[in-house]
């Protein structure tokens, strides 16, 4: 086996088609930009932009969009050896509407089934997963078989050999729900959360880090208070719980008693959709660097804020120099 990767992520990949006009409903948009997308892939890109050796485990269709995603991963310096084609399924595309500062509706085209949900346990390179300095999985990977079984098999092979991050990544429409968690999801949202929770709890037993916003933490814990969510995640087996709170900043709680509460980094938002993935890549960079909680959260916040000022997700991920210059100017 080659030298271990700094980061291996496992989960969604697809093509993001973002409007080149902001403040315009999708029906009225005339031109779009094409970008690599999918949370797990974006996190791998974010870490690569920060100088980390990263790879992603996912699948595409055997089509021109799949070819584009391989090309984009390579251009970003992300190893695509474990991104394989599925013959009879199209590569997913995702559209969004851009209404700054805080309204960015997403429209997923992942039917009849997304190729990234057709990862089989027997296809996994368990040795590489166990050896990676950080392994990252997402909640979406648990929503359907065979991806669910493959995700849990990867976690079992990993066996907490090093930092193992569970991105809670709640997308209720992938679980038969509608809207968002809690107040936005209504009855179907509640049913979707109930369907997801046992699998989230199973994954948490293998994770050392859990990261997500309050809605996502609620799926895993049934709670909404950030401090209570963090404590519940620790009780479910992780060593570090990171709760993103939007305008209230971020809360990080470690099993050893360390706590960091970091305020948000105010910026003029262009598109907020990539901020969480930039935060994730920077979080991995901080973990690999051995930083304490507060500087790590400040750095991750800064990376997310920088991406929020830009239109794209993957191609907007900042470099070390950009994050450091941004922090120096605060």
């Amino acid at each position: 086996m080659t030298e271990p990767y700094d980061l291996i992520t496992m989960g969604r990949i697809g093509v993001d088609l973002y409007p080149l006009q902001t403040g315009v409903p999708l029906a009225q948009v005339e031109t779009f930009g094409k970008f690599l997308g999918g949370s797990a892939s974006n996190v791998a890109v974010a870490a690569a932009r920060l100088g980390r050796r990263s790879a992603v485990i996912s699948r595409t269709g055997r089509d021109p969009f799949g070819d584009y995603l391989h090309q984009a991963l390579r251009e970003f310096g992300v190893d695509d050896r474990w991104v394989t084609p599925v013959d009879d399924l199209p590569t997913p595309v995702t559209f969004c509407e851009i209404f700054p500062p805080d309204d960015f509706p997403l429209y997923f085209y992942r039917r009849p089934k997304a190729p990234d949900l057709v990862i089989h346990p027997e296809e996994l390179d368990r040795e590489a997963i166990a050896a990676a300095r950080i392994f990252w999985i997402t909640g979406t990977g648990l929503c359907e078989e065979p991806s669910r079984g493959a995700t849990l098999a990867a976690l079992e092979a990993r066996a907490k050999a090093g930092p193992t991050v569970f991105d809670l990544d709640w997308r209720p429409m992938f679980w038969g729900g509608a809207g968002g968690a809690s107040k936005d999801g209504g009855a179907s949202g509640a049913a979707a959360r109930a369907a997801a929770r046992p699998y989230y709890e199973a994954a948490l037993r293998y994770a050392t880090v859990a990261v997500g916003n309050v809605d996502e933490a609620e799926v895993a814990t049934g709670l909404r208070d950030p401090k209570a969510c963090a404590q519940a995640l620790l009780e479910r087996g992780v060593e570090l719980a990171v709760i993103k709170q939007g305008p209230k900043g971020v809360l990080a709680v470690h099993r050893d008693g360390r706590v960091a509460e970091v305020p948000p980094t105010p910026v003029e938002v262009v598109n907020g959709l990539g901020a969480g993935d930039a935060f994730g890549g920077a979080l991995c960079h901080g973990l690999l660097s051995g930083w304490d909680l507060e500087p790590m959260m400040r750095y991750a916040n800064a990376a997310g804020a920088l991406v929020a000022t830009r239109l794209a997700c993957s191609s907007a991920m900042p470099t070390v120099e950009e994050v450091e210059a941004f922090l120096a100017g605060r």
Side-chain angles (χ1 to χ4, degrees):
M1 191 184 72
T2 60
E3 182 181 348
Y5 290 87
D6 290 323
L7 171 66
I8 296 177
T9 68
M10 180 174 178
R12 284 205 313 276
I13 195 169
V15 177
D16 286 346
L17 295 173
Y18 284 178
L20 299 183
Q21 297 84 43
T22 63
V24 177
L26 200 57
Q28 298 175 20
V29 173
E30 295 183 355
T31 54
F32 296 84
K34 180 182 67 176
F35 305 98
L36 168 76
S39 61
S41 302
N42 282 336
V43 169
V45 169
R49 291 293 285 262
L50 296 172
R52 299 300 179 174
R53 183 168 179 258
S54 64
V56 62
I57 301 169
S58 193
R59 304 197 75 182
T60 69
R62 194 184 295 274
D63 53 28
F65 274 152
D67 296 339
Y68 162 71
L69 293 174
H70 280 278
Q71 173 186 319
L73 286 170
R74 293 168 188 158
E75 289 175 352
F76 286 126
V78 176
D79 196 318
D80 65 342
R81 70 181 61 195
W82 297 305
V83 180
T84 57
V86 179
D87 287 330
D88 55 350
L89 293 174
T91 299
V93 297
T94 302
F95 290 87
C96 77
E97 294 175 313
I98 300 178
F99 295 102
D102 58 3
D103 187 18
F104 307 99
L106 283 169
Y107 302 88
F108 293 97
Y109 290 77
R110 292 170 58 85
R111 295 299 176 190
K113 186 170 187 170
D116 55 58
L117 294 176
V118 193
I119 302 171
H120 295 274
E122 60 270 19
E123 298 166 345
L124 298 173
D125 187 333
R126 287 169 165 82
E127 184 180 357
I129 290 168
R133 296 178 69 194
I134 296 179
F135 181 56
W136 178 291
I137 63 104
T138 75
T140 295
L142 299 170
C143 73
E144 289 188 38
E145 294 290 1
S147 173
R148 177 186 299 149
T151 301
L152 294 173
L155 288 171
E156 185 175 2
R158 174 74 172 173
K160 295 188 177 183
T164 304
V165 184
F166 182 8
D167 175 3
L168 301 176
D169 179 44
W170 175 238
R171 306 287 182 180
M173 67 286 293
F174 299 163
W175 294 85
S182 256
K183 55 191 176 187
D184 295 330
S188 62
R193 292 196 304 279
R197 187 163 296 137
Y199 302 111
Y200 272 55
E201 291 177 341
L204 283 168
R205 289 195 286 271
Y206 294 100
T208 65
V209 181
V211 58
N213 61 32
V214 172
D215 284 346
E216 293 167 331
E218 181 189 14
V219 178
T221 67
L223 305 170
R224 287 195 61 79
D225 175 76
K227 292 182 179 179
C229 284
Q231 184 58 42
L233 289 167
L234 296 177
E235 291 170 356
R236 283 160 174 76
V238 304
E239 297 173 10
L240 173 63
V242 180
I243 309 296
K244 295 180 284 188
Q245 304 176 80
K248 295 182 180 179
V250 60
L251 168 69
V253 182
H254 197 279
R255 180 181 298 280
D256 65 11
R258 287 179 293 151
V259 177
E261 293 187 76
V262 175
T265 306
V267 292
E268 185 174 342
V269 174
V270 173
N271 182 358
L273 291 175
D277 299 332
F279 182 101
L283 171 66
C284 292
H285 181 62
L287 290 168
L288 290 166
S289 301
W291 293 344
D292 202 1
L293 289 186
E294 184 165 337
M296 183 161 54
M297 294 303 113
R298 290 189 183 280
Y299 193 95
N301 262 356
L306 270 169
V307 171
T309 67
R310 302 168 177 177
L311 174 65
C313 289
S314 52
S315 61
M317 297 299 168
T319 63
V320 168
E321 293 76 16
E322 288 175 319
V323 178
E324 290 178 349
F326 183 81
L327 285 168
R330 294 284 133 175

